Structures are given as structure tokens and as C-alpha cells.
Amino acid sequence: GDFWRLVLDDGERVEMPVFSRRQKGRAVREGENRLRIEYDEVKTEYGDTYPVRFVLAVEKRGELLAFEPTVANRAKGVRVNECFAPLVSFDGVAGAKKDDIIFMPKGLGQRAGNPYAKMESLAQFYYNHDQHETFWHQPYPRASMCWFGVQSGDKFLYVSRQDPEFRYCFLTARHTIKGGDLMLGVDHWPMATEGETLAYAPTVVGLLDGDWRAGADEYRAWAGRTFYKSAPVCADERIRRMTGFSRLVLKTSFGEDCFKIADIPEMYERTKACGLDGLFLFAWWRRGMDRYYPDYVEAYPGAFDELKRGLDEVRRRGGFTILECNFTFMSKDTPFWRAHGPETVMHDMWGEYVSPAFG
């Protein structure tokens, strides 16, 4: 099987798989516990060879092995879209396969018994490298945490990317159709064009004693060492003590007034009675909710002065307010759009304007 894969794209063939089992590389030792596996070029399943340098560093860290991939693209007209590294292939772990359980960090956690049978029941995709496999992807950071694994007997096969920058990736489980295997790994998204070199944070793999809780403990220990290093970014003691806020829409998108600016102090008192100390104000401008971005025009002469007095009163009573502002969406009937819209609007990959839909 493979212990890494790449997916290349030349603009016409956007899924050109590179399988590690078909490559020629070399191993270089770097001390007692570290090894570098290097490839100066890669060969796709179409038979083409490209000057894409790939390096996978492997280091022993206690019970875990850490894998650090680096992609250096020197190929003209070719992009490296995906980097699966590592892939951990196995046909059973420590217990009976039918009793194994895979754990995924979806929401509060998702589990599936006998993952081999589950993966066999899925439909394959039609891409070149996927037509013989099924897969289960969990995108991170949409996932709640960046670890997953398989509980088997009295062991837990643990996989986690330890990236303090929280870069996008897929936690992926793959399975060969009509085979008995699973492959666990991490799919990075370098999207590396010619001349780019990208290195990724380590993915650690280990066979831990215990059940899924051993994996949770391992991830929690890493998070505790990593997530909380920076000093508090907010020096305002009131904000640090905030208990929450209520969301207040002054005017709907279809023009109906829900509240008046003069209602702000009263709405704060209602919010305070619920144990919250803030107001999050939407549609405080003339046109209403999600309209006329990014031009904020007062509803009537003196409205913004009245708004300021209302905010000051909330602050005087010990609360806080947040004014919603949006500089991503733009309404096409605004002066801002007419002056700057075409040069500042977001485009999709086909060159079309990105238009949000609400529903």
C-alpha cells in the first residue's frame, strides 16, 4: 500500500494521482530518531514524470511517530493540489475486526462500529485514484478537533495533525473495495504552483494503550501545551468579564421596524434581567438588515447622534454594545458599488461575482 500520495493538476487532467508505491526515493538518517525520505521527482498514474520534490521526515517522539511533509513544485504548468501524508494502511489492529470502532471528531464526536464493513458499504467516486476505493473525509477546522482513530481490543490507533496555525486539512479514512483494509491519514491542500515550496506541521501516529480516551488525553495534552501561549489580547476588564449579549435587529430586510433607536436603553434592561450585559445591534442604518452594504446611511437626520446617545447610556449602566458592520457583502444599488464595486468584488474560480444567498 501507500504511505503517502499526491494529486497533481495540469489544467486539463485535474486529478493526476501519485502513489508512493510507484516512486523511487532515498532515505537519509538524521540522528538516532529521525529519518528523511526524499524524492526528486514524481511519476503520475498517467506515466508522466514531473520535477516535484517531495520530502517526508519521520521522527520518533515517545510512543508516537511524527510525519512532516514538504512539497517543492518545480514543474511548469502543473499544480500540486493535495498531499496525503501520512497514510497508515492496515488490515486489523489489535482485536477482532468486527469489534473495531472508528472515532471521528464531528460535532461532539461520531463513532462507527466495524469500520471495514461501513467503508465497504459506501459508493466509490469516479476519479482515477478513487474508483477502486471508498473514503470518509472530515474537514478540519470544521471538525471540532484534529484527531481521530480506531479502537481495537485494548489499543487505540491514534492519528492527529499537530498544527498550531490550524490550517485546513481533511482527516481521511480510505478503504479498498472488496478488500479488508483501512487507510487513515491526513490530506493537506498545498495548491502549490511552479516555484512554491510548502512545509506542513507534523501529523503524529501511535498505537496507544487503552480505548478512545487515550487518544482524547493525548490530544488534550498537546492542546494544553499549544493553544494558550499568547497573552490576553484584550486589556479592557469589562470585556473580559462580559456575560454575553442579545442580538437586536432594528429593521428587517423587507423594511419593517422591529425597534427604534430610542428603545435601546429599555432593551438593554430586558437583556440585563436575563443575566447578559450586552447588545449586538443589527440594521441600525436606513435600509435595514443585510441591505445597502457597505454604505451606512442614517434613517433620518440626527439618527446617528441619537444612536450614540443610546450607546453611551448602555455603557453608563454598565453594559456594552456591538454594532454589526459588513465589508464583505456589497449591494449593487449603492454609491460604493458604482464607484468601486467591479474592482473590489470577490470572484469565484470561473470569474463570476460571488453572490451570497440567504434562506
Side-chain angles (χ1 to χ4, degrees), residues 289-290 293 326 329 355-359:
M289 182 68 178
D290 283 332
Y293 293 134
N326 194 313
F329 299 158
S355 298
F358 301 95

Coordinates of all heavy atoms in Angstrom, one line a residue, residues 289-290 293 326 329 355-359:
M289 N -31.8 45.3 7.6 CA -30.9 44.1 7.7 C -30.4 43.6 6.4 O -31.2 43.4 5.4 CB -31.6 43.0 8.5 CG -30.8 41.8 8.7 SD -29.5 42.1 9.9 CE -28.7 40.5 10.0
D290 N -29.1 43.4 6.2 CA -28.4 42.9 5.1 C -28.8 43.6 3.8 O -29.0 43.0 2.7 CB -28.8 41.4 4.9 CG -28.0 40.5 5.9 OD1 -26.9 40.9 6.3 OD2 -28.5 39.5 6.3
Y293 N -25.2 47.3 1.9 CA -23.7 47.2 2.3 C -22.9 47.8 1.1 O -23.2 47.5 0.0 CB -23.4 45.8 2.6 CG -24.0 45.1 3.8 CD1 -24.5 43.9 3.7 CD2 -24.0 45.8 5.0 CE1 -25.1 43.2 4.8 CE2 -24.6 45.2 6.1 CZ -25.1 43.9 6.0 OH -25.7 43.3 7.1
N326 N -20.5 45.1 8.0 CA -20.2 44.1 7.0 C -19.5 44.7 5.8 O -20.1 45.6 5.1 CB -21.5 43.4 6.5 CG -21.1 42.1 5.8 OD1 -20.3 42.1 4.9 ND2 -21.8 41.0 6.1
F329 N -20.0 41.8 1.9 CA -21.2 41.9 1.0 C -21.3 43.3 0.5 O -21.0 44.3 1.2 CB -22.5 41.5 1.7 CG -22.5 40.2 2.3 CD1 -23.4 39.8 3.3 CD2 -21.7 39.2 1.8 CE1 -23.4 38.5 3.8 CE2 -21.7 37.9 2.3 CZ -22.5 37.6 3.3
S355 N -22.0 35.9 -5.0 CA -23.3 36.5 -4.5 C -23.8 35.6 -3.5 O -24.2 34.4 -3.7 CB -24.3 36.6 -5.7 OG -23.8 37.5 -6.7
P356 N -23.9 36.0 -2.2 CA -24.4 35.2 -1.1 C -25.9 35.0 -1.3 O -26.6 35.9 -1.8 CB -24.1 36.0 0.1 CG -24.0 37.4 -0.3 CD -23.5 37.4 -1.7
A357 N -26.4 33.9 -0.8 CA -27.8 33.6 -0.8 C -28.3 33.4 0.6 O -27.6 32.7 1.4 CB -28.1 32.4 -1.7
F358 N -29.4 33.9 1.0 CA -29.9 33.8 2.3 C -31.2 32.9 2.2 O -32.0 33.1 1.4 CB -30.2 35.1 3.0 CG -29.0 36.0 3.1 CD1 -28.7 36.9 2.1 CD2 -28.1 35.9 4.1 CE1 -27.6 37.8 2.2 CE2 -27.0 36.7 4.2 CZ -26.7 37.6 3.2
G359 N -31.4 32.0 3.2 CA -32.6 31.2 3.2 C -32.6 30.3 4.4 O -31.7 30.3 5.2

